[in-house]
Amino acid sequence: TQLLEQSPQFLSIQEGENLTVYCNSSSVFSSLQWYRQEPGEGPVLLVTVVTGGEVKKLKRLTFQFGDARKDSSLHITAAQPGDTGLYLCAGARNYGQNFVFGPGTRLSVLP
Amino acid sequence: GAVVSQHPSRVICKSGTSVKIECRSLDFQATTMFWYRQFPKQSLMLMATSNEGSKATYEQGVEKDKFLINHASLTLSTLTVTSAHPEDSSFYICSATRFQGLASLFFGPGTRLTVL
């Protein structure tokens, strides 16, 4: 049973388009993190959200944590080829004693 | 951001040999580190949780005698793949938890293991 679901799992779009990736669970997390991973490298932490309803912006990326702290979304505005990669969400349980990962969303932005 | 290093980044070995991979937290102490395995175009598969000063906790289906984990200090965990076989070829990634108000997980750059 996947504790964290991500949708879509694959997404191919043209440069300049907007997109949203969703991360959903039936469990409550103390915090949730988003990562981007490029081929042959380790995942890089983009953001950590902690408070229900929290919204964080990182340039063209907007992250939102659901009010109940069970789900999150990542919105990218005007996607660029450099945004291509595997996006992973991870929920922290027991205040960081362990983390649950989603299956990932593989994004391809075509020039 | 916090830095986690892994060494080596790539290793090629013959079948039957053992390979050790090091994971270091460079600018923080990590009581907990995690080891993952990743197959091409797939997400991370947690292998084990490495706890400083105690035995690692392995996920179901992961052979602890095959994948030896040692977390001897607050900044170093090692994964040894014993008697490696071609099916052990994979991308191995470690991560470490930093607690600074809240818990954040930082990943190493990964180690590509190829067993011939």
Side-chain angles (χ1 to χ4, degrees):
Chain A
T1 303
Q2 190 76 46
L3 294 178
L4 264 179
E5 302 287 345
Q6 280 186 245
S7 61
Q9 291 198 16
F10 299 94
L11 186 58
S12 181
I13 61 172
Q14 292 294 134
E15 182 176 2
E17 292 183 13
N18 302 331
L19 66 117
T20 302
V21 176
Y22 299 93
C23 177
N24 298 293
S25 176
S26 58
S27 301
V28 176
F29 296 106
S30 52
S31 66
L32 194 139
Q33 304 184 330
W34 284 93
Y35 297 84
R36 179 170 67 222
Q37 184 184 23
E38 298 188 28
E41 299 181 11
V44 174
L45 179 63
L46 297 175
V47 78
T48 299
V49 285
V50 181
T51 307
E54 182 177 5
V55 176
K56 280 190 174 179
K57 290 193 174 184
L58 187 66
K59 296 183 180 179
R60 294 177 293 102
L61 278 59
T62 302
F63 304 86
Q64 184 162 8
F65 201 13
D67 292 339
R69 290 187 289 131
K70 294 181 179 181
D71 52 82
S72 180
S73 64
L74 158 60
H75 182 78
I76 301 179
T77 304
Q80 298 177 1
D83 296 327
T84 294
L86 177 67
Y87 288 81
L88 296 161
C89 66
R93 301 170 78 181
N94 300 319
Y95 298 98
Q97 294 304 317
N98 59 71
F99 292 81
V100 176
F101 278 85
T105 293
R106 193 162 295 279
L107 172 65
S108 177
V109 182
L110 306 174
Chain B
V3 179
V4 175
S5 70
Q6 268 184 253
H7 177 80
S9 57
R10 290 177 176 270
V11 58
I12 301 173
C13 69
K14 292 182 178 180
S15 187
T17 60
S18 294
V19 174
K20 180 185 283 189
I21 304 170
E22 293 186 349
C23 178
R24 293 180 184 274
S25 56
L26 299 184
D27 55 354
F28 66 101
Q29 294 183 330
T31 54
T32 304
M33 290 184 172
F34 303 92
W35 287 96
Y36 303 83
R37 186 171 178 177
Q38 188 175 36
F39 293 102
K41 300 191 176 182
Q42 292 189 23
S43 187
L44 306 170
M45 184 189 79
L46 178 65
M47 298 175 66
T49 301
S50 173
N51 303 297
E52 187 268 336
S54 64
K55 292 183 179 179
T57 305
Y58 290 81
E59 295 299 301
Q60 191 172 8
V62 178
E63 300 175 58
K64 54 182 156 185
D65 295 330
K66 171 79 172 172
F67 299 98
L68 300 178
I69 291 173
N70 184 280
H71 194 154
S73 78
L74 287 171
T75 59
L76 173 64
S77 175
T78 60
L79 167 67
T80 301
V81 183
T82 62
S83 187
H85 290 284
E87 56 265 30
D88 298 324
S89 298
S90 192
F91 193 53
Y92 292 88
I93 311 176
C94 71
S95 67
T97 306
R98 186 182 72 177
F99 293 90
Q100 199 173 41
L102 51 83
S104 295
L105 193 63
F106 293 91
F107 284 87
T111 297
R112 171 73 58 192
L113 171 63
T114 303
V115 185
L116 303 176

